[in-house]
């Protein structure tokens, strides 16, 4: 079987395969699945293997952008990965994703990104969790009543029906593209267009005294639960105004879920108590952005702002892309891959473990403590910051840990 780029004539087969492989868990999933396949832009970067007339496996790879440490990176979002059961475990998807990586190597794309179904499968291809995310799942009674929205007003409507509200959230997103302390992103239009047609999702936008949009929530209600997909606020008043809006659901719902919030979400401003008899509250890790570095030398030179006083030789292992497999020299002015070197190696890391170091999700100290960033001849890894080798401290300066989070 040969991997081909899909076109209009393949739309029906693609629909069948995606429907089969992603049985919807709820109405929202079902609507999303039906809408996205109606948009021909889904074919912009969709690939597949045919066995005669049967589409055996497929994946899509869509141009997007994401900001990491204040720099904009072109990335490819890998989506709609599916193989028909009778063609599974034959290496089709692995082969396709490797081919995709190889073709990105000399392109403008720095990372491949995806929301994983099985982290380990993608880890084997060099992906790793890049961004933090938490899920908050709570009985509504935990929400504190304190708010300080001072003059802000909130409007709500359905995503599909209210183009003014949609424009207003675009304005808020634009602000975040310039000012966010997390990882704002721009996704391919097939996803925004699909989102804009969702008939059961709601938007609530909050405005300041000058009627400027300052924050929004994307949500829906189901089974007496308020399900918050996104909450973004430009200032603290907007946070409180949106909280006040949520509190207005008090008599209508029993639970509230925030599916994806940053690690430093101001939870203390939302919740008064963390324990109530007979009630449930949970706040758990939910990382769902995995990245794969395409061309390491390019990424390092774009992202590193600090250079070490002493040369550092880092050995990187990448079993898939030879270009990334080797020794990288961090010198006073630049970072480069060295072709032949037989001297002392200062540290070693795999291409997947480099992902959280580069994004800022993990510090070099954390990676060292977990045996992911190793230092030759230092076999005992002490659980103490005082006994860390100098090279780990140097990497902490080059790659300081930051808050990572994205809304797509
Ligand atoms: C997930 C999915 C896309 C994998 O597709 P696939 O074509 O079977 O993928 P591959 O064959 O490349 O790899 C699958 C497994 O088979 C193994 N494999 C690869 N070649 C093999 C071979 N020749 N013989 C036996 N096993 C093999 C891989 O190592 C991998 O193992 P792992 O699951 O233990 O990591 C497919 O199972 C699917 O459609 N699932 C439902 C939809 C879904 O979850 N999509 C992903 C959303 S992100």
């Amino acid at each position: 079987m040969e991997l081909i780029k899909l076109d209009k004539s393949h739309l029906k087969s693609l629909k069948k395969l995606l429907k089969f492989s992603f049985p919807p868990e709820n109405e929202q999933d079902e609507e999303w699945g039906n809408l996205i396949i109606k948009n021909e832009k889904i074919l912009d970067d969709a690939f597949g293997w045919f066995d005669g007339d049967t589409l055996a496996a497929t994946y899509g790879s869509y141009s997007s952008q994401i900001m990491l440490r204040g720099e904009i990176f072109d990335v490819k979002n890998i989506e709609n990965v599916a193989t028909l059961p009778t063609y599974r475990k034959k290496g089709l998807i692995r082969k396709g994703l490797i081919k995709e990586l190889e073709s990105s190597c000399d392109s403008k794309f720095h990372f491949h990104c995806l929301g994983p179904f099985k982290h380990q499968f993608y880890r084997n291809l060099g992906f790793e969790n890049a961004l933090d995310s938490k899920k908050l799942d709570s009985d509504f009674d935990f929400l504190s009543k304190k708010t300080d929205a001072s003059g802000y007003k909130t409007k709500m409507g359905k995503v599909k029906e209210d183009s003014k509200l949609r424009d207003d959230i675009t304005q808020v997103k634009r602000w975040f593209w310039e000012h966010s302390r997390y990882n704002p992103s721009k996704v391919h239009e097939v996803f925004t267009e699909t989102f804009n047609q969702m008939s059961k999702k709601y938007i609530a936008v909050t405005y300041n005294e000058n009627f400027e949009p300052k924050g929004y929530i994307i949500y829906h209600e189901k089974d007496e639960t308020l399900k918050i997909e996104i909450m973004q606020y430009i200032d603290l008043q907007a946070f409180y105004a949106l909280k006040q809006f949520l509190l207005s659901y008090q008599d209508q719902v029993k639970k509230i879920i925030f599916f994806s919030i940053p690690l430093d979400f101001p939870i203390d401003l939302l919740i008064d108590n963390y324990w109530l008899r007979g009630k449930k509250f949970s706040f758990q890790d939910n990382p769902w952005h995995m990245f794969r570095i395409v061309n390491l030398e390019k990424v390092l030179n774009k992202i590193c702002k600090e250079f070490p006083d002493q040369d550092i030789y880092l050995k990187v292992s990448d079993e898939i892309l030879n270009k990334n497999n080797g020794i990288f020299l961090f010198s006073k002015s630049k970072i480069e891959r060295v072709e032949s070197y037989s001297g002392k190696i200062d540290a070693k890391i795999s291409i997947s473990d480099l992902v959280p170091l580069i994004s800022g999700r993990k510090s070099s100290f954390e990676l060292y403590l977990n045996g992911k960033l190793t230092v030759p001849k230092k076999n005992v890894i002490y659980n103490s910051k005082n006994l860390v080798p100098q090279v780990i401290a140097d990497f902490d300066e080059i790659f300081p840990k930051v808050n990572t989070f994205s809304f797509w």
Side-chain angles (χ1 to χ4, degrees):
M1 275 186 283
E2 206 189 325
L3 182 64
I4 58 161
K5 161 100 179 57
L6 302 187
D7 62 34
K8 271 189 199 172
S9 67
H10 305 123
L11 209 52
K12 220 169 150 189
S13 313
L14 181 64
K15 187 174 178 177
K16 209 167 131 197
L17 175 52
L18 293 183
K19 273 223 152 190
F20 182 85
S21 303
F22 300 104
E25 280 182 21
N26 51 49
E27 274 176 272
Q28 300 277 330
D29 281 0
E30 186 162 15
E31 189 176 25
W32 178 271
N34 289 336
L35 288 171
I36 202 156
I37 202 71
K38 279 195 192 138
N39 189 332
E40 284 186 4
K41 288 179 187 156
I42 189 96
L43 295 165
D44 279 1
D45 289 287
F47 301 88
W49 290 261
F50 274 89
D51 186 9
D53 289 342
T54 308
L55 179 60
T58 184
Y59 69 87
S61 139
Y62 301 92
S63 307
S64 316
Q65 288 187 319
I66 189 152
M67 204 177 281
L68 295 176
R69 300 181 184 274
E71 292 286 340
I72 299 168
F73 289 90
D74 286 297
V75 302
K76 278 194 167 181
N77 277 350
I78 308 294
E79 301 276 348
N80 298 330
V81 183
T83 303
L84 269 184
T86 41
Y87 295 89
R88 285 181 189 166
K89 296 213 178 266
K90 295 182 194 306
L92 286 177
I93 290 299
R94 189 179 159 85
K95 208 159 45 172
L97 295 188
I98 290 177
K99 198 166 172 192
E100 194 61 27
L101 260 176
E102 286 167 347
S103 72
S104 292
C105 238
D106 293 316
S107 73
K108 63 174 183 172
F109 298 104
H110 290 93
F111 295 96
H112 283 189
C113 307
L114 49 78
F117 70 103
K118 220 168 44 164
H119 287 76
Q120 194 53 41
F121 173 68
Y122 289 113
R123 213 166 264 134
N124 291 341
L125 285 163
F127 286 83
E128 190 46 273
N129 291 324
L131 309 177
D132 278 303
S133 170
K134 287 262 187 185
K135 180 177 175 190
L136 190 154
D137 189 338
S138 164
D139 277 320
F140 209 78
D141 296 349
F142 282 95
L143 257 61
S144 75
K145 309 289 178 294
K146 280 186 225 141
T147 61
D148 182 9
S150 57
Y152 278 39
K153 291 210 162 53
T154 304
K155 287 185 186 168
M156 62 168 282
K158 281 191 171 169
V159 169
K160 184 178 176 179
E161 292 168 5
D162 205 321
S163 61
K164 163 83 172 77
L165 290 180
R166 291 203 304 266
D167 290 347
D168 291 342
I169 67 171
T170 306
Q171 264 195 58
V172 176
K173 283 184 182 168
R174 213 173 287 137
W175 186 92
F176 276 106
W177 183 252
E178 285 174 24
H179 301 286
S180 177
R181 59 204 178 88
Y182 304 119
N183 307 98
S185 62
K186 289 182 180 170
V187 294
H188 188 281
E189 52 197 354
V190 67
F191 302 108
T192 32
E193 286 174 10
T194 304
F195 171 80
N196 288 345
Q197 290 166 31
M198 295 291 283
S199 65
K200 294 192 180 71
K201 279 193 203 301
Y202 284 85
I203 314 176
V205 180
T206 195
Y207 302 85
N208 68 4
E209 295 83 347
N210 301 324
F211 309 106
E212 292 160 337
K214 291 290 173 180
Y216 68 92
I217 296 176
I218 308 288
Y219 72 102
H220 63 277
E221 194 215 318
K222 180 92 179 130
D223 303 331
E224 299 187 315
T225 303
L226 206 52
K227 302 188 174 187
I228 316 296
E229 291 168 37
I230 301 175
M231 175 168 171
Q232 278 198 293
Y233 53 94
I234 287 178
D235 56 36
L236 193 57
Q237 290 99 309
F239 173 86
Y240 277 124
L242 293 171
K243 178 183 167 188
Q244 198 157 6
F245 172 77
L246 294 176
L247 284 168
S248 68
Y249 274 80
Q250 190 174 6
D251 300 326
Q252 200 175 328
V253 296
K254 294 202 169 114
K255 279 182 68 173
I256 184 162
I257 300 175
F258 290 82
F259 285 104
S260 186
I261 50 180
L263 225 57
D264 61 350
F265 187 79
I267 193 159
D268 292 347
L269 304 183
L270 194 74
I271 307 284
D272 265 344
N273 302 304
Y274 288 86
W275 186 84
L276 287 173
R277 183 176 285 276
K279 304 281 177 188
K280 288 206 176 103
F281 171 86
S282 79
F283 189 47
Q284 67 196 56
D285 274 339
N286 182 29
W288 54 278
H289 296 87
M290 287 186 104
F291 287 11
R292 207 298 176 189
I293 298 164
V294 174
N295 184 325
L296 181 58
E297 196 175 75
K298 269 207 232 167
V299 169
L300 289 174
N301 278 294
K302 188 162 166 151
I303 212 149
C304 293
K305 307 282 184 305
E306 291 290 325
F307 296 95
D309 294 334
Q310 305 270 333
D311 289 353
I312 298 175
Y313 288 90
L314 175 69
K315 188 168 183 204
V316 178
S317 54
D318 185 340
E319 286 167 16
I320 292 170
L321 290 181
N322 207 23
K323 217 177 188 145
N324 300 329
N325 194 41
I327 294 156
F328 289 77
L329 166 63
F330 290 67
S331 65
K332 271 190 183 147
S333 58
K334 66 171 178 174
I335 300 158
E336 61 189 331
R337 183 174 188 268
V338 288
E339 286 305 330
S340 63
Y341 176 74
S342 53
K344 178 175 154 270
I345 302 294
D346 297 297
K348 292 184 187 175
I349 195 164
S350 70
I351 194 74
S352 51
D353 290 328
L354 261 172
V355 169
L357 188 68
I358 284 173
S359 69
R361 180 172 187 252
K362 300 255 183 216
S363 67
S364 59
F365 177 60
E366 286 168 292
L367 290 168
Y368 171 75
L369 281 186
N370 294 342
K372 310 269 185 188
L373 175 62
T374 58
V375 175
K377 297 196 185 132
K378 300 267 181 198
N379 295 332
V380 181
I381 299 170
Y382 291 103
N383 195 4
S384 158
K385 203 151 193 172
N386 304 334
L387 299 169
V388 157
Q390 182 57 39
V391 64
I392 303 301
D394 292 343
F395 275 129
D396 248 348
E397 306 247 315
I398 301 170
F399 302 106
K401 189 174 173 176
V402 291
N403 277 322
T404 59
F405 182 72
S406 191
F407 287 95
W408 55 263

